[in-house]
Amino acid sequence: MLQRAITGAVFITVLIGSALAGATIFTIFFSLVGVWCLYEFFGIVRQQQDVLPVTGIGILTAVLLGLLLGLHHLELLSLRYSAIIIPCISLIFIVPLYRGHAKPFHDISYTLTGLLYTAFPFFCFVALGFIRGSYQAQIPLGFLFMLWSNDTGAYLVGRSIGRTKLFERISPNKTWEGFLGGLAFALGVAALLSHFYPILPLWQWLVMGFLIGTFGTLGDLVESMLKRTLGVKDSGNILPGHGGLLDRFDGLLIAAPLVWVFLLLV
């Protein structure tokens, strides 16, 4: 527990610090986290007997896309140059032709799924910092605060009064009471954020809190489904006592793209 507490404190400090350090550090840091999550994803799927993802090209695609989108956010490059990743996508289909692996389309599918499931959500999260044009740390910070409050509320309420199973087939410990408790915590933090961060009106913070509380929990279940499917306990060991980065950001993977789309539309 001490190891988990120390790791968690350092982890949260680094995340908050990277958001407060300015547009460049924020963009680089969270883009690299997305690439590392993709690396962890490829690592756990490679443990399967008949799966050999196109790891090198997949990671190159994520790095290149993160770089191009980051330069666009920093107003150093036009968005049209992001089309450069199209040849990388083509290579993901072409490379298996020359490897002679038994199930090439399994390899292609896992490679594309990894990009869409891990790297892409972090690029959406980075875009939250620039949703109003110039970089503003309040929105990504608010997202993280609501995500953490949802996890904390779900744990505390679930442990205290949780009885009704939410999705026993995937995660036996999750309950409806915990889910509603986490959602209530996220909405409460959203209301506080509207006071301290008036960059968005109250209703938009509340919608963000609802999306994060709901789809953050579903993201947790999706990652549990992935690990059950692959028969692994943790996605990695980079965080002592906590597992991998993919384990810690499972809620963000589903919620971040939806929050980005919501704010983009409104």
Side-chain angles (χ1 to χ4, degrees), residues 206-225:
L206 289 175
V207 172
M208 281 182 63
F210 175 79
L211 291 174
I212 292 168
T214 302
F215 292 96
T217 300
L218 290 171
D220 190 335
L221 289 168
V222 168
E223 206 238 356
S224 295
M225 178 173 64

Side-chain angles (χ1 to χ4, degrees), residues 39-61:
Y39 173 77
E40 289 186 347
F41 177 87
F42 287 153
I44 60 176
V45 300
R46 277 201 307 267
Q47 297 177 26
Q48 307 307 298
Q49 183 176 358
D50 295 327
V51 178
L52 187 63
V54 190
T55 303
I57 302 299
I59 290 177
L60 174 63
T61 302

Side-chain angles (χ1 to χ4, degrees), residues 26-37 63 122-123 245:
F26 169 77
T27 301
I28 293 172
F29 178 80
F30 281 99
S31 295
L32 289 177
V33 171
V35 173
W36 185 268
C37 285
V63 170
F122 276 95
F123 301 149
L245 290 182

Side-chain angles (χ1 to χ4, degrees), residues 50-171:
D50 295 327
V51 178
L52 187 63
V54 190
T55 303
I57 302 299
I59 290 177
L60 174 63
T61 302
V63 170
L64 190 57
L65 183 58
L67 175 63
L68 294 169
L69 291 176
L71 290 174
H72 166 68
H73 291 314
L74 297 172
E75 299 182 347
L76 298 174
L77 196 68
S78 170
L79 184 60
R80 66 183 180 181
Y81 289 102
S82 300
I84 294 173
I85 69 157
I86 298 300
C88 295
I89 300 294
S90 299
L91 283 174
I92 291 173
F93 288 86
I94 294 170
V95 167
L97 282 171
Y98 297 92
R99 297 199 301 182
H101 198 239
K103 297 181 178 180
F105 270 89
H106 282 201
D107 305 338
I108 294 168
S109 298
Y110 270 108
T111 305
L112 295 177
T113 297
L115 284 166
L116 184 63
Y117 175 57
T118 61
F120 174 73
F122 276 95
F123 301 149
C124 291
F125 179 75
V126 169
L128 289 177
F130 301 88
I131 200 78
R132 294 172 62 93
S134 61
Y135 176 67
Q136 293 167 313
Q138 295 96 324
I139 295 177
L141 276 177
F143 182 103
L144 291 175
F145 293 152
M146 287 185 282
L147 186 67
W148 295 333
S149 66
N150 177 63
D151 291 342
T152 302
Y155 176 79
L156 294 176
V157 176
R159 290 273 297 190
S160 300
I161 60 172
R163 297 292 182 272
T164 312
K165 299 299 182 182
L166 175 64
F167 222 112
E168 190 170 9
R169 177 170 58 87
I170 300 298
S171 184

Side-chain angles (χ1 to χ4, degrees), residues 251-263:
L252 179 148
L253 300 179
I254 302 298
L258 296 175
V259 170
W260 175 70
V261 168
F262 163 68
L263 291 180

